[in-house]
Each structure stands twice: as C-alpha cells, then as structure tokens.
Amino acid sequence: MQLVTLSRKITSLQRVFPEDVAVDEIGMGLTGFGVFFLFFGMILFFDKALLAIGNILFVAGLAFVIGLERTFRFFFQKHKLKATGFFLGGVLVVLIGWPIVGVVLEIYGFFLLFRGFFPVVVGFIRRIPVLGSILNLPFISTYVDNASEGNTMV
C-alpha cells in the first residue's frame, strides 16, 4: 500500500518536472558540482562540509538525470543492497562527521554499484588515442582485461 502511494507521489513529481532538456541539464549540473565538491573536499584533506555538499549534490543530480523512480529501482535492487548500504552508509558517516571512514565506505559501495559499467568505460577509453595506447600495453592490458571481464552489465 505504501509503495503505491510512493509511486503516485513520484508520478506527480514527474508531471511537475517533465522529461525535457532543462531537467537533464539541471541534473548534469548538480552531478558535476557534486563530483567537483567531492574532489575538492578530498584535496583539502577530507573537509567535512565540502564532502557533505558533494554527496548531496551527486545523489540529487543522479535523481534528476535518470528520474526518481529509476534511481530508487537502481539503488534498491536485491543484488545491489549490500553496495547501496555501503554507499549510502558512507554518505551518512560523512554527514555525521567522520569523513575519511565515510569516503572509504562510499568508494567501496560506488565500485560495487557501478562495476557493471566498467567494461563499457574501458572500451570507451581504449578508443581515445593516447589512453588507448597505454591500456593496450602488455602488462596493463592483461590487468585491465581481467578487471573488466567478470563485471558485465546485466
């Protein structure tokens, strides 16, 4: 019953924010600023405030880009609950005030959540002239192939 009510609320929000270019641009901007604040927060020796702002902006931007319902479905699939727990737990730990522990938990959860996208990213990077040459070197090529081989997107 609560899931139906949640679905209706999400649908009403989607009517307010129809799927158009402006919402995608807002989402990409929020995600970009989130990554910037996370990076800047780590450069400044794990500044709690910058990391917290970056986390909030990143998750909000992701919700704007792919939609609230898809974001909820992505994070709360049965086989991704462990990864979601680590990622969102890391966000919570950063918000509480332990930035180094929180970032470590977030990074682990991020890799568990998005490991299905790594083969696509590696394939894209291999097409870039200089980076592709580096990834095709003998020692690096075997390592990258093994790392991206078992993590196909489902």
Side-chain angles (χ1 to χ4, degrees), residues 1-49:
M1 189 66 172
Q2 292 176 356
L3 191 58
V4 173
T5 307
L6 180 64
S7 177
R8 288 182 185 155
K9 288 180 182 179
I10 290 172
T11 305
S12 66
L13 283 175
Q14 288 173 344
R15 286 187 199 131
V16 173
F17 298 110
E19 294 181 23
D20 62 355
V21 178
V23 174
D24 290 340
E25 289 175 359
I26 292 170
M28 291 303 292
L30 288 174
T31 305
F33 277 118
V35 170
F36 171 75
F37 277 110
L38 285 170
F39 180 70
F40 201 56
M42 284 191 244
I43 286 178
L44 293 176
F45 302 112
F46 294 94
D47 183 51
K48 291 184 273 189

